[in-house]
mmCIF file of all heavy atoms in Angstrom:
data_model
loop_
_atom_site.group_PDB
_atom_site.id
_atom_site.type_symbol
_atom_site.label_atom_id
_atom_site.label_comp_id
_atom_site.label_asym_id
_atom_site.label_seq_id
_atom_site.Cartn_x
_atom_site.Cartn_y
_atom_site.Cartn_z
ATOM 1 N N VAL Z 596 5.951 -17.962 31.826
ATOM 2 C CA VAL Z 596 5.169 -18.227 30.634
ATOM 3 C C VAL Z 596 3.704 -18.668 31.071
ATOM 4 O O VAL Z 596 3.499 -19.019 32.251
ATOM 5 C CB VAL Z 596 5.707 -19.441 29.769
ATOM 6 C CG1 VAL Z 596 7.119 -19.074 29.299
ATOM 7 C CG2 VAL Z 596 5.856 -20.712 30.633
ATOM 8 N N ILE Z 597 2.803 -18.534 30.156
ATOM 9 C CA ILE Z 597 1.423 -19.030 30.378
ATOM 10 C C ILE Z 597 1.376 -20.359 29.722
ATOM 11 O O ILE Z 597 1.466 -20.502 28.450
ATOM 12 C CB ILE Z 597 0.386 -18.071 29.797
ATOM 13 C CG1 ILE Z 597 0.407 -16.702 30.500
ATOM 14 C CG2 ILE Z 597 -1.000 -18.701 29.853
ATOM 15 C CD1 ILE Z 597 -0.470 -15.673 29.897
ATOM 16 N N GLU Z 598 1.288 -21.455 30.513
ATOM 17 C CA GLU Z 598 1.241 -22.793 29.986
ATOM 18 C C GLU Z 598 -0.058 -23.047 29.328
ATOM 19 O O GLU Z 598 -0.135 -23.729 28.312
ATOM 20 C CB GLU Z 598 1.519 -23.792 31.125
ATOM 21 C CG GLU Z 598 2.930 -24.004 31.382
ATOM 22 C CD GLU Z 598 3.161 -25.391 32.014
ATOM 23 O OE1 GLU Z 598 2.515 -25.703 33.002
ATOM 24 O OE2 GLU Z 598 4.027 -26.157 31.416
ATOM 25 N N SER Z 599 -1.176 -22.647 29.884
ATOM 26 C CA SER Z 599 -2.486 -22.865 29.354
ATOM 27 C C SER Z 599 -3.482 -21.950 29.991
ATOM 28 O O SER Z 599 -3.271 -21.341 31.001
ATOM 29 C CB SER Z 599 -2.922 -24.295 29.558
ATOM 30 O OG SER Z 599 -3.022 -24.576 30.964
ATOM 31 N N THR Z 600 -4.649 -21.873 29.284
ATOM 32 C CA THR Z 600 -5.811 -21.194 29.848
ATOM 33 C C THR Z 600 -6.986 -22.187 29.762
ATOM 34 O O THR Z 600 -7.236 -22.659 28.651
ATOM 35 C CB THR Z 600 -6.179 -19.905 29.069
ATOM 36 O OG1 THR Z 600 -5.068 -19.013 29.192
ATOM 37 C CG2 THR Z 600 -7.401 -19.227 29.697
ATOM 38 N N ALA Z 601 -7.668 -22.485 30.848
ATOM 39 C CA ALA Z 601 -8.655 -23.502 30.832
ATOM 40 C C ALA Z 601 -9.853 -23.076 31.631
ATOM 41 O O ALA Z 601 -9.760 -22.243 32.560
ATOM 42 C CB ALA Z 601 -8.110 -24.803 31.428
ATOM 43 N N LYS Z 602 -11.038 -23.633 31.273
ATOM 44 C CA LYS Z 602 -12.261 -23.334 31.973
ATOM 45 C C LYS Z 602 -12.593 -24.542 32.832
ATOM 46 O O LYS Z 602 -12.632 -25.673 32.414
ATOM 47 C CB LYS Z 602 -13.420 -23.099 31.011
ATOM 48 C CG LYS Z 602 -14.709 -22.679 31.631
ATOM 49 C CD LYS Z 602 -15.777 -22.386 30.595
ATOM 50 C CE LYS Z 602 -17.078 -21.950 31.218
ATOM 51 N NZ LYS Z 602 -18.114 -21.643 30.238
ATOM 52 N N GLY Z 603 -12.833 -24.288 34.139
ATOM 53 C CA GLY Z 603 -13.197 -25.304 35.023
ATOM 54 C C GLY Z 603 -14.526 -26.065 34.618
ATOM 55 O O GLY Z 603 -15.534 -25.414 34.409
ATOM 56 N N ALA Z 604 -14.468 -27.400 34.608
ATOM 57 C CA ALA Z 604 -15.638 -28.127 34.200
ATOM 58 C C ALA Z 604 -16.798 -27.946 35.145
ATOM 59 O O ALA Z 604 -17.949 -27.983 34.715
ATOM 60 C CB ALA Z 604 -15.296 -29.568 33.950
ATOM 61 N N THR Z 605 -16.510 -27.841 36.394
ATOM 62 C CA THR Z 605 -17.554 -27.717 37.400
ATOM 63 C C THR Z 605 -17.892 -26.267 37.741
ATOM 64 O O THR Z 605 -19.005 -25.875 37.724
ATOM 65 C CB THR Z 605 -17.127 -28.522 38.711
ATOM 66 O OG1 THR Z 605 -16.878 -29.862 38.319
ATOM 67 C CG2 THR Z 605 -18.261 -28.453 39.738
ATOM 68 N N SER Z 606 -16.810 -25.519 38.035
ATOM 69 C CA SER Z 606 -16.953 -24.139 38.547
ATOM 70 C C SER Z 606 -17.419 -23.165 37.413
ATOM 71 O O SER Z 606 -18.094 -22.198 37.646
ATOM 72 C CB SER Z 606 -15.683 -23.664 39.146
ATOM 73 O OG SER Z 606 -14.663 -23.499 38.139
ATOM 74 N N GLY Z 607 -16.994 -23.446 36.191
ATOM 75 C CA GLY Z 607 -17.177 -22.534 35.109
ATOM 76 C C GLY Z 607 -16.241 -21.403 35.075
ATOM 77 O O GLY Z 607 -16.349 -20.445 34.244
ATOM 78 N N ASN Z 608 -15.297 -21.289 36.065
ATOM 79 C CA ASN Z 608 -14.330 -20.185 36.124
ATOM 80 C C ASN Z 608 -13.221 -20.525 35.159
ATOM 81 O O ASN Z 608 -12.827 -21.646 34.911
ATOM 82 C CB ASN Z 608 -13.785 -20.063 37.545
ATOM 83 C CG ASN Z 608 -14.850 -19.575 38.530
ATOM 84 O OD1 ASN Z 608 -15.807 -19.001 38.101
ATOM 85 N ND2 ASN Z 608 -14.696 -19.811 39.757
ATOM 86 N N TYR Z 609 -12.535 -19.441 34.748
ATOM 87 C CA TYR Z 609 -11.350 -19.539 33.827
ATOM 88 C C TYR Z 609 -10.121 -19.477 34.633
ATOM 89 O O TYR Z 609 -9.972 -18.696 35.593
ATOM 90 C CB TYR Z 609 -11.348 -18.433 32.819
ATOM 91 C CG TYR Z 609 -12.462 -18.565 31.793
ATOM 92 C CD1 TYR Z 609 -13.787 -18.219 32.017
ATOM 93 C CD2 TYR Z 609 -12.144 -19.117 30.526
ATOM 94 C CE1 TYR Z 609 -14.743 -18.371 31.019
ATOM 95 C CE2 TYR Z 609 -13.091 -19.325 29.596
ATOM 96 C CZ TYR Z 609 -14.407 -18.924 29.817
ATOM 97 O OH TYR Z 609 -15.394 -19.103 28.854
ATOM 98 N N TYR Z 610 -9.105 -20.236 34.343
ATOM 99 C CA TYR Z 610 -7.826 -20.361 34.970
ATOM 100 C C TYR Z 610 -6.640 -20.079 34.038
ATOM 101 O O TYR Z 610 -6.605 -20.694 32.995
ATOM 102 C CB TYR Z 610 -7.616 -21.708 35.661
ATOM 103 C CG TYR Z 610 -8.556 -21.947 36.854
ATOM 104 C CD1 TYR Z 610 -9.864 -22.363 36.594
ATOM 105 C CD2 TYR Z 610 -8.181 -21.690 38.136
ATOM 106 C CE1 TYR Z 610 -10.762 -22.651 37.627
ATOM 107 C CE2 TYR Z 610 -9.047 -21.907 39.159
ATOM 108 C CZ TYR Z 610 -10.341 -22.382 38.906
ATOM 109 O OH TYR Z 610 -11.198 -22.593 39.922
ATOM 110 N N VAL Z 611 -5.821 -19.158 34.411
ATOM 111 C CA VAL Z 611 -4.565 -18.888 33.695
ATOM 112 C C VAL Z 611 -3.473 -19.641 34.387
ATOM 113 O O VAL Z 611 -3.115 -19.247 35.582
ATOM 114 C CB VAL Z 611 -4.273 -17.368 33.566
ATOM 115 C CG1 VAL Z 611 -2.941 -17.181 32.842
ATOM 116 C CG2 VAL Z 611 -5.362 -16.723 32.787
ATOM 117 N N ASN Z 612 -2.881 -20.645 33.762
ATOM 118 C CA ASN Z 612 -1.854 -21.482 34.438
ATOM 119 C C ASN Z 612 -0.431 -20.978 34.118
ATOM 120 O O ASN Z 612 -0.010 -21.019 32.958
ATOM 121 C CB ASN Z 612 -2.024 -22.938 34.011
ATOM 122 C CG ASN Z 612 -3.398 -23.468 34.510
ATOM 123 O OD1 ASN Z 612 -3.738 -23.354 35.644
ATOM 124 N ND2 ASN Z 612 -4.196 -23.982 33.544
ATOM 125 N N LEU Z 613 0.253 -20.467 35.140
ATOM 126 C CA LEU Z 613 1.528 -19.842 34.947
ATOM 127 C C LEU Z 613 2.674 -20.811 35.291
ATOM 128 O O LEU Z 613 2.456 -21.719 36.165
ATOM 129 C CB LEU Z 613 1.712 -18.606 35.882
ATOM 130 C CG LEU Z 613 0.674 -17.457 35.634
ATOM 131 C CD1 LEU Z 613 0.879 -16.347 36.718
ATOM 132 C CD2 LEU Z 613 0.757 -16.868 34.201
ATOM 133 N N LYS Z 614 3.845 -20.610 34.703
ATOM 134 C CA LYS Z 614 4.986 -21.431 35.050
ATOM 135 C C LYS Z 614 6.251 -20.537 34.936
ATOM 136 O O LYS Z 614 6.299 -19.664 34.070
ATOM 137 C CB LYS Z 614 5.109 -22.602 34.078
ATOM 138 C CG LYS Z 614 6.275 -23.551 34.441
ATOM 139 C CD LYS Z 614 6.230 -24.796 33.529
ATOM 140 C CE LYS Z 614 7.350 -25.740 33.908
ATOM 141 N NZ LYS Z 614 7.361 -26.981 33.051
ATOM 142 N N TRP Z 615 7.288 -20.760 35.828
ATOM 143 C CA TRP Z 615 8.472 -19.921 35.773
ATOM 144 C C TRP Z 615 9.684 -20.667 36.305
ATOM 145 O O TRP Z 615 9.509 -21.830 36.815
ATOM 146 C CB TRP Z 615 8.297 -18.681 36.676
ATOM 147 C CG TRP Z 615 7.986 -19.018 38.149
ATOM 148 C CD1 TRP Z 615 8.910 -19.125 39.071
ATOM 149 C CD2 TRP Z 615 6.729 -19.211 38.714
ATOM 150 N NE1 TRP Z 615 8.332 -19.423 40.303
ATOM 151 C CE2 TRP Z 615 6.899 -19.454 40.159
ATOM 152 C CE3 TRP Z 615 5.378 -19.205 38.265
ATOM 153 C CZ2 TRP Z 615 5.892 -19.767 40.998
ATOM 154 C CZ3 TRP Z 615 4.365 -19.477 39.131
ATOM 155 C CH2 TRP Z 615 4.623 -19.762 40.514
ATOM 156 N N ASN Z 616 10.869 -20.124 36.115
ATOM 157 C CA ASN Z 616 12.091 -20.694 36.681
ATOM 158 C C ASN Z 616 12.340 -20.077 38.036
ATOM 159 O O ASN Z 616 12.411 -18.820 38.129
ATOM 160 C CB ASN Z 616 13.278 -20.439 35.741
ATOM 161 C CG ASN Z 616 13.190 -21.224 34.459
ATOM 162 O OD1 ASN Z 616 12.415 -22.157 34.405
ATOM 163 N ND2 ASN Z 616 13.963 -20.790 33.480
ATOM 164 N N ASP Z 617 12.631 -20.889 39.052
ATOM 165 C CA ASP Z 617 13.044 -20.404 40.420
ATOM 166 C C ASP Z 617 14.487 -20.397 40.411
ATOM 167 O O ASP Z 617 15.233 -21.380 40.448
ATOM 168 C CB ASP Z 617 12.453 -21.362 41.454
ATOM 169 C CG ASP Z 617 12.950 -21.021 42.814
ATOM 170 O OD1 ASP Z 617 13.460 -19.923 43.027
ATOM 171 O OD2 ASP Z 617 12.705 -21.869 43.743
ATOM 172 N N ASN Z 618 15.121 -19.142 40.472
ATOM 173 C CA ASN Z 618 16.537 -18.947 40.361
ATOM 174 C C ASN Z 618 17.192 -18.739 41.780
ATOM 175 O O ASN Z 618 18.444 -18.512 41.843
ATOM 176 C CB ASN Z 618 16.880 -17.783 39.459
ATOM 177 C CG ASN Z 618 16.424 -18.062 38.038
ATOM 178 O OD1 ASN Z 618 16.571 -19.146 37.537
ATOM 179 N ND2 ASN Z 618 15.815 -17.035 37.419
ATOM 180 N N SER Z 619 16.392 -18.706 42.814
ATOM 181 C CA SER Z 619 16.949 -18.383 44.171
ATOM 182 C C SER Z 619 16.824 -19.628 45.089
ATOM 183 O O SER Z 619 16.048 -20.447 44.816
ATOM 184 C CB SER Z 619 16.247 -17.164 44.776
ATOM 185 O OG SER Z 619 14.870 -17.473 44.940
ATOM 186 N N ASP Z 620 17.642 -19.599 46.131
ATOM 187 C CA ASP Z 620 17.547 -20.694 47.124
ATOM 188 C C ASP Z 620 17.289 -20.195 48.497
ATOM 189 O O ASP Z 620 17.362 -20.869 49.486
ATOM 190 C CB ASP Z 620 18.829 -21.540 47.103
ATOM 191 C CG ASP Z 620 20.066 -20.739 47.461
ATOM 192 O OD1 ASP Z 620 19.930 -19.538 47.742
ATOM 193 O OD2 ASP Z 620 21.212 -21.225 47.207
ATOM 194 N N ASP Z 621 16.947 -18.821 48.558
ATOM 195 C CA ASP Z 621 16.732 -18.249 49.855
ATOM 196 C C ASP Z 621 15.436 -17.426 49.966
ATOM 197 O O ASP Z 621 15.215 -16.637 50.846
ATOM 198 C CB ASP Z 621 17.937 -17.301 50.237
ATOM 199 C CG ASP Z 621 18.144 -16.219 49.169
ATOM 200 O OD1 ASP Z 621 17.489 -16.276 48.061
ATOM 201 O OD2 ASP Z 621 18.892 -15.277 49.405
ATOM 202 N N GLU Z 622 14.514 -17.727 48.980
ATOM 203 C CA GLU Z 622 13.236 -17.006 49.055
ATOM 204 C C GLU Z 622 12.326 -17.670 50.073
ATOM 205 O O GLU Z 622 12.473 -18.861 50.381
ATOM 206 C CB GLU Z 622 12.517 -17.003 47.685
ATOM 207 C CG GLU Z 622 11.710 -18.283 47.373
ATOM 208 C CD GLU Z 622 12.624 -19.331 46.720
ATOM 209 O OE1 GLU Z 622 13.874 -19.135 46.611
ATOM 210 O OE2 GLU Z 622 12.085 -20.368 46.281
ATOM 211 N N SER Z 623 11.480 -16.866 50.690
ATOM 212 C CA SER Z 623 10.436 -17.397 51.593
ATOM 213 C C SER Z 623 9.175 -17.665 50.841
ATOM 214 O O SER Z 623 8.207 -18.232 51.428
ATOM 215 C CB SER Z 623 10.211 -16.460 52.779
ATOM 216 O OG SER Z 623 9.830 -15.184 52.292
ATOM 217 N N GLY Z 624 9.069 -17.144 49.658
ATOM 218 C CA GLY Z 624 7.886 -17.317 48.848
ATOM 219 C C GLY Z 624 7.944 -16.433 47.651
ATOM 220 O O GLY Z 624 8.979 -15.823 47.325
ATOM 221 N N PHE Z 625 6.819 -16.332 46.918
ATOM 222 C CA PHE Z 625 6.754 -15.550 45.671
ATOM 223 C C PHE Z 625 5.540 -14.619 45.744
ATOM 224 O O PHE Z 625 4.583 -14.816 46.546
ATOM 225 C CB PHE Z 625 6.689 -16.446 44.421
ATOM 226 C CG PHE Z 625 7.894 -17.205 44.171
ATOM 227 C CD1 PHE Z 625 8.048 -18.498 44.642
ATOM 228 C CD2 PHE Z 625 8.921 -16.694 43.366
ATOM 229 C CE1 PHE Z 625 9.182 -19.232 44.384
ATOM 230 C CE2 PHE Z 625 10.038 -17.426 43.083
ATOM 231 C CZ PHE Z 625 10.187 -18.661 43.625
ATOM 232 N N GLU Z 626 5.559 -13.618 44.944
ATOM 233 C CA GLU Z 626 4.385 -12.737 44.779
ATOM 234 C C GLU Z 626 4.070 -12.729 43.304
ATOM 235 O O GLU Z 626 4.859 -12.380 42.506
ATOM 236 C CB GLU Z 626 4.674 -11.351 45.265
ATOM 237 C CG GLU Z 626 4.861 -11.250 46.787
ATOM 238 C CD GLU Z 626 5.119 -9.829 47.269
ATOM 239 O OE1 GLU Z 626 5.506 -8.957 46.433
ATOM 240 O OE2 GLU Z 626 4.966 -9.590 48.429
ATOM 241 N N ILE Z 627 2.809 -13.101 42.967
ATOM 242 C CA ILE Z 627 2.267 -12.996 41.603
ATOM 243 C C ILE Z 627 1.512 -11.676 41.507
ATOM 244 O O ILE Z 627 0.648 -11.441 42.322
ATOM 245 C CB ILE Z 627 1.359 -14.229 41.194
ATOM 246 C CG1 ILE Z 627 2.229 -15.492 41.183
ATOM 247 C CG2 ILE Z 627 0.766 -13.954 39.829
ATOM 248 C CD1 ILE Z 627 1.430 -16.723 40.913
ATOM 249 N N LEU Z 628 1.845 -10.888 40.527
ATOM 250 C CA LEU Z 628 1.174 -9.603 40.311
ATOM 251 C C LEU Z 628 0.363 -9.655 39.031
ATOM 252 O O LEU Z 628 0.779 -10.246 37.996
ATOM 253 C CB LEU Z 628 2.185 -8.455 40.245
ATOM 254 C CG LEU Z 628 3.030 -8.244 41.491
ATOM 255 C CD1 LEU Z 628 4.346 -8.992 41.421
ATOM 256 C CD2 LEU Z 628 3.304 -6.711 41.684
ATOM 257 N N GLN Z 629 -0.848 -9.059 39.068
ATOM 258 C CA GLN Z 629 -1.728 -9.120 37.905
ATOM 259 C C GLN Z 629 -2.183 -7.692 37.594
ATOM 260 O O GLN Z 629 -2.383 -6.852 38.544
ATOM 261 C CB GLN Z 629 -2.953 -9.961 38.259
ATOM 262 C CG GLN Z 629 -4.030 -9.905 37.178
ATOM 263 C CD GLN Z 629 -5.257 -10.765 37.577
ATOM 264 O OE1 GLN Z 629 -5.173 -11.928 37.816
ATOM 265 N NE2 GLN Z 629 -6.384 -10.062 37.714
ATOM 266 N N ALA Z 630 -2.343 -7.403 36.307
ATOM 267 C CA ALA Z 630 -2.946 -6.116 35.855
ATOM 268 C C ALA Z 630 -3.924 -6.459 34.780
ATOM 269 O O ALA Z 630 -3.796 -7.462 34.037
ATOM 270 C CB ALA Z 630 -1.820 -5.203 35.311
ATOM 271 N N THR Z 631 -5.025 -5.685 34.629
ATOM 272 C CA THR Z 631 -5.972 -5.874 33.628
ATOM 273 C C THR Z 631 -6.131 -4.661 32.734
ATOM 274 O O THR Z 631 -6.064 -3.548 33.199
ATOM 275 C CB THR Z 631 -7.371 -6.175 34.214
ATOM 276 O OG1 THR Z 631 -7.748 -5.119 35.135
ATOM 277 C CG2 THR Z 631 -7.355 -7.460 35.046
ATOM 278 N N GLY Z 632 -6.156 -4.967 31.429
ATOM 279 C CA GLY Z 632 -6.350 -3.879 30.497
ATOM 280 C C GLY Z 632 -5.147 -3.134 30.113
ATOM 281 O O GLY Z 632 -5.015 -2.688 28.960
ATOM 282 N N SER Z 633 -4.227 -2.970 31.004
ATOM 283 C CA SER Z 633 -2.962 -2.293 30.738
ATOM 284 C C SER Z 633 -1.934 -2.755 31.753
ATOM 285 O O SER Z 633 -2.262 -3.434 32.728
ATOM 286 C CB SER Z 633 -3.094 -0.763 30.742
ATOM 287 O OG SER Z 633 -3.185 -0.359 32.102
ATOM 288 N N THR Z 634 -0.655 -2.324 31.574
ATOM 289 C CA THR Z 634 0.355 -2.654 32.587
ATOM 290 C C THR Z 634 0.602 -1.574 33.612
ATOM 291 O O THR Z 634 1.611 -1.490 34.243
ATOM 292 C CB THR Z 634 1.710 -2.922 31.794
ATOM 293 O OG1 THR Z 634 2.036 -1.792 31.020
ATOM 294 C CG2 THR Z 634 1.566 -4.167 30.940
ATOM 295 N N ASP Z 635 -0.433 -0.723 33.777
ATOM 296 C CA ASP Z 635 -0.291 0.401 34.771
ATOM 297 C C ASP Z 635 -0.883 0.103 36.114
ATOM 298 O O ASP Z 635 -0.795 0.938 37.027
ATOM 299 C CB ASP Z 635 -0.951 1.651 34.167
ATOM 300 C CG ASP Z 635 -0.293 2.134 32.870
ATOM 301 O OD1 ASP Z 635 0.858 1.893 32.727
ATOM 302 O OD2 ASP Z 635 -1.020 2.730 32.025
ATOM 303 N N ASN Z 636 -1.494 -1.079 36.319
ATOM 304 C CA ASN Z 636 -2.249 -1.269 37.542
ATOM 305 C C ASN Z 636 -1.923 -2.627 38.178
ATOM 306 O O ASN Z 636 -2.813 -3.300 38.695
ATOM 307 C CB ASN Z 636 -3.721 -1.163 37.270
ATOM 308 C CG ASN Z 636 -4.226 -2.093 36.174
ATOM 309 O OD1 ASN Z 636 -3.404 -2.830 35.608
ATOM 310 N ND2 ASN Z 636 -5.514 -2.090 35.966
ATOM 311 N N PHE Z 637 -0.618 -2.996 38.180
ATOM 312 C CA PHE Z 637 -0.230 -4.299 38.833
ATOM 313 C C PHE Z 637 -0.504 -4.265 40.313
ATOM 314 O O PHE Z 637 -0.247 -3.262 40.933
ATOM 315 C CB PHE Z 637 1.242 -4.576 38.598
ATOM 316 C CG PHE Z 637 1.496 -5.280 37.219
ATOM 317 C CD1 PHE Z 637 2.110 -4.569 36.169
ATOM 318 C CD2 PHE Z 637 1.177 -6.615 37.074
ATOM 319 C CE1 PHE Z 637 2.363 -5.211 34.997
ATOM 320 C CE2 PHE Z 637 1.439 -7.246 35.846
ATOM 321 C CZ PHE Z 637 2.069 -6.513 34.825
ATOM 322 N N SER Z 638 -0.967 -5.384 40.788
ATOM 323 C CA SER Z 638 -1.180 -5.581 42.247
ATOM 324 C C SER Z 638 -0.968 -7.038 42.567
ATOM 325 O O SER Z 638 -1.081 -7.959 41.669
ATOM 326 C CB SER Z 638 -2.527 -5.095 42.721
ATOM 327 O OG SER Z 638 -3.501 -5.915 42.127
ATOM 328 N N VAL Z 639 -0.486 -7.328 43.791
ATOM 329 C CA VAL Z 639 -0.222 -8.658 44.208
ATOM 330 C C VAL Z 639 -1.534 -9.384 44.410
ATOM 331 O O VAL Z 639 -2.414 -8.942 45.135
ATOM 332 C CB VAL Z 639 0.633 -8.732 45.481
ATOM 333 C CG1 VAL Z 639 0.757 -10.161 45.971
ATOM 334 C CG2 VAL Z 639 1.981 -8.049 45.285
ATOM 335 N N ILE Z 640 -1.702 -10.609 43.696
ATOM 336 C CA ILE Z 640 -2.985 -11.284 43.860
ATOM 337 C C ILE Z 640 -2.740 -12.688 44.460
ATOM 338 O O ILE Z 640 -3.706 -13.201 45.084
ATOM 339 C CB ILE Z 640 -3.658 -11.455 42.531
ATOM 340 C CG1 ILE Z 640 -2.714 -12.104 41.496
ATOM 341 C CG2 ILE Z 640 -4.150 -10.067 42.035
ATOM 342 C CD1 ILE Z 640 -3.470 -12.624 40.250
#
């Protein structure tokens, strides 16, 4: 889910704050993928 979208008071940059359920106990990490404009161009960011 997207918990919030906020603009940094100092930087002026926008932040999309994500939250999820971790269902595994053997991951070494996660990969967040982003696409802009459509769902055809996801890449790990």
